[in-house]
Amino acid sequence: MASRRFGKAAKVPDGYDIIEPTLEAMENELRDKVKESNAGKRNTESIWPVHQINWQKSRYVYDMYYTYHRIPRKVYDYCIKHKIVDAGLIAKWKKSGYERLCSTYVINPANYKFGTTSICRVPIQDRSETQAKAQDPTTGCLGCASGKESAPKNIFGNKYGQNLAAVQIAREKRMEAMRARQEEQERRRAEEEQKAAAQDAQGGGEGDSETDDSDSDDDYGPTPVAGVWANSQSLIDESEAMANGEGGDEKDGEYDRPSKKARES
């Protein structure tokens, strides 16, 4: 993807293939959204997907490197150097209080009246009743303040607010569990076939065993490849819990949020 996008073919570092399909899917999504008709939308609402996909793409690469350690430093630096992700936004995420910032636009006082920042930077518990569900008019952000319960888990309230790194890790864990079940089922089936063969040899009988049924309903084989976004509520819940450090069962804090020292590197 990167070599096609940037004209001259740049040497893609090893490990880029881990994130390339997801990045390419987001590039295609952005292209489609830009081409969509703006009929029935407010002027600022038409550019929401631009800000939101930019956030999601940057968050994906950031978490795949810092949180889940799935890509090497060379891949992360490659994405920064070639502007595949928003380096300015990522730099803000490394600072305390800006860990979930939706866009650098919303913290620039020059963009708002009276030299303030966007409503999305105000913690939900500090808003008035009428402002509780207010969105930033430029980015569509519902709230990106730091702190527990200071903002919704999905800051945009749509698929662009999903943490795609957590979705990818959750999917991989599900696939590993499915493969383990399949291997266990095949092992048991082989044992049953061996027992049936031994019994047939001793009794000289012929006949079908229950294990000879090739139309078994217990099929844990490959399923169609899903899109990069989570479509089921269970996967959304699982990825959100993982992204917020609530559902990780990994040992030694493998999926913990990066420390301050790690983020500053």
Side-chain angles (χ1 to χ4, degrees), residues 2 7 15 33 47 70 76 104 121 124 148 159 200 240:
K33 286 297 178 181
I47 63 170
R70 292 300 311 278
Y76 174 76
T104 54
R121 294 296 300 156
I124 290 178
K148 190 175 181 180
K159 70 177 185 178
D200 289 344
E240 285 182 350

Side-chain angles (χ1 to χ4, degrees), residues 108-163:
N108 186 348
N111 296 327
Y112 298 91
K113 294 180 180 179
F114 312 114
T116 59
T117 56
S118 172
I119 183 65
C120 69
R121 294 296 300 156
V122 179
I124 290 178
Q125 61 267 31
D126 294 337
R127 300 186 193 181
S128 65
E129 188 174 342
T130 56
Q131 295 176 328
K133 295 183 180 181
Q135 292 176 277
D136 178 80
T138 303
T139 67
C141 178
L142 295 164
C144 58
S146 298
K148 190 175 181 180
E149 298 182 358
S150 294
K153 291 181 179 179
N154 186 320
I155 66 173
F156 301 122
N158 56 31
K159 70 177 185 178
Y160 304 133
Q162 292 180 12
N163 188 306

